[in-house]
């Protein structure tokens, strides 16, 4: 059974800092991995999708890396802004239905 | 129209009520999912439908009954719920489990409170 751990659970940084969020998963037989953000009480917004054959994916100030063999992914946020404050979730897709398994997330607060 | 739409956004129901949650996707996807998000817990997969066929039931109690009449619509019928069923219920869709691209898109969720 896939298990996902995200570290740290919470992070508070001043505006402008670069930061790294970590995700680890136990079953390396994944099809892809998605990073999402969730604002309080809202649904999930997809940020990046990395296919299992890829090492890295970039979108604007976000860069996600994937080391499938070691069961790790990182999300790098450059020049953080207060609008980046949210909970960030990683979810590898595995199993016959390619279902997503979620970690508990990292709650990010960017202070102005 | 947004990609995945859920209604209602908020629902309060008594333990003896019967209600339904609705999800509709406008992305041409073939797979749809129900997830439950309880306070302080990770999202839990409940059901998966691929081409209208249920392919996963993640040991969900029978008081939750899904229905997928076509690839664009997904329902979750609720009856005799318990207060611990109060949670945010999220619907998602993707192109399908048999395709390479399984990027999932989520709706805004239904906040359910059972009293």
């Amino acid at each position: 059974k896939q298990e996902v751990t995200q570290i740290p659970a919470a992070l508070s940084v001043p505006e402008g800092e670069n930061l790294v969020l970590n995700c680890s998963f136990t079953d390396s037989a994944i099809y892809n991995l998605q990073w999402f953000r969730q604002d309080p009480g809202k649904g999930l917004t997809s940020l990046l999708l990395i296919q299992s054959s890829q090492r890295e994916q970039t979108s604007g100030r976000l860069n996600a890396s994937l080391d499938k063999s070691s069961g790790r992914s990182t999300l790098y946020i450059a020049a953080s802004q207060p609008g980046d404050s949210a909970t960030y979730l990683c979810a590898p897709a595995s199993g016959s239905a390619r279902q997503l398994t979620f970690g508990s997330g990292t709650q990010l607060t960017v202070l102005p | 129209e947004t990609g995945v739409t859920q209604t209602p956004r908020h629902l309060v129901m008594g333990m003896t009520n019967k209600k339904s949650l609705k999800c509709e996707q406008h992305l041409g996807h073939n797979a749809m999912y129900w997830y439950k998000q309880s306070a302080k817990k990770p999202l839990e997969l409940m059901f998966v439908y691929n081409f209208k066929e249920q392919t996963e039931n993640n040991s969900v109690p029978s008081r939750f009954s899904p229905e997928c009449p076509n690839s664009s619509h997904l329902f979750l019928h609720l009856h005799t719920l318990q207060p611990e069923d109060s949670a945010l219920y999220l619907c998602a869709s993707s192109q399908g489990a048999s395709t390479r691209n399984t990027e999932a898109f989520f709706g805004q969720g239904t906040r359910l409170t059972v009293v």
Side-chain angles (χ1 to χ4, degrees):
Chain A
K1 181 189 168 189
Q2 181 74 277
E3 293 182 4
V4 179
T5 303
Q6 290 189 246
I7 294 172
L11 182 62
S12 183
V13 300
E15 182 177 4
E17 274 205 6
N18 303 323
L19 51 101
V20 175
L21 308 182
N22 296 292
C23 170
S24 61
F25 46 95
T26 55
D27 182 0
S28 61
I30 65 170
Y31 295 98
N32 57 54
L33 184 143
Q34 267 184 272
W35 281 93
F36 296 90
R37 72 172 277 168
Q38 185 176 29
D39 294 288
K42 300 289 179 65
L44 278 63
T45 300
S46 180
L47 297 173
L48 288 164
L49 169 75
I50 313 180
Q51 299 291 352
S52 60
S53 57
Q54 295 178 310
R55 300 280 296 184
E56 207 170 288
Q57 192 68 254
T58 298
S59 176
R61 293 183 294 109
L62 306 179
N63 176 279
S65 67
L66 175 65
D67 184 343
K68 188 179 133 173
S69 60
S70 67
R72 280 187 246 173
S73 179
T74 60
L75 179 67
Y76 175 83
I77 303 177
S80 58
Q81 302 171 357
D84 295 330
S85 298
T87 296
Y88 289 80
L89 299 160
C90 80
S94 56
S96 58
R98 305 195 183 193
Q99 62 264 31
L100 300 177
T101 303
F102 285 86
S104 296
T106 293
Q107 186 174 358
L108 173 66
T109 303
V110 181
L111 303 169
Chain B
E1 289 180 328
T2 56
V4 181
T5 304
Q6 290 186 244
T7 55
R9 293 293 309 278
H10 301 273
L11 178 62
V12 180
M13 60 185 289
M15 289 190 282
T16 58
N17 290 160
K18 288 185 181 181
K19 296 285 184 183
S20 296
L21 310 185
K22 179 182 175 182
C23 176
E24 184 174 0
Q25 57 95 2
H26 308 279
L27 300 169
H29 289 165
N30 295 307
M32 296 188 77
Y33 311 80
W34 280 117
Y35 286 86
K36 175 184 178 182
Q37 188 175 36
S38 304
K40 310 293 185 187
K41 291 175 70 175
L43 273 85
E44 301 170 76
L45 178 66
M46 299 176 73
F47 301 105
V48 180
Y49 278 83
N50 200 32
F51 291 93
K52 301 187 299 178
E53 298 297 320
Q54 187 181 124
T55 57
E56 292 286 327
N57 176 340
N58 210 21
S59 303
V60 180
S62 59
R63 58 185 183 270
F64 295 90
S65 174
E67 178 190 1
C68 188
N70 55 61
S71 293
S72 299
H73 294 85
L74 184 65
F75 295 89
L76 188 62
H77 304 299
L78 316 171
H79 66 97
T80 59
L81 295 192
Q82 305 297 312
E84 59 264 29
D85 296 321
S86 299
L88 182 67
Y89 288 84
L90 291 161
C91 172
S93 72
S94 71
Q95 283 192 5
S98 58
T99 65
R100 174 179 166 76
N101 185 358
T102 57
E103 183 173 9
F105 294 86
F106 281 77
Q108 289 298 300
T110 295
R111 171 66 64 187
L112 173 68
T113 303
V114 181
V115 297

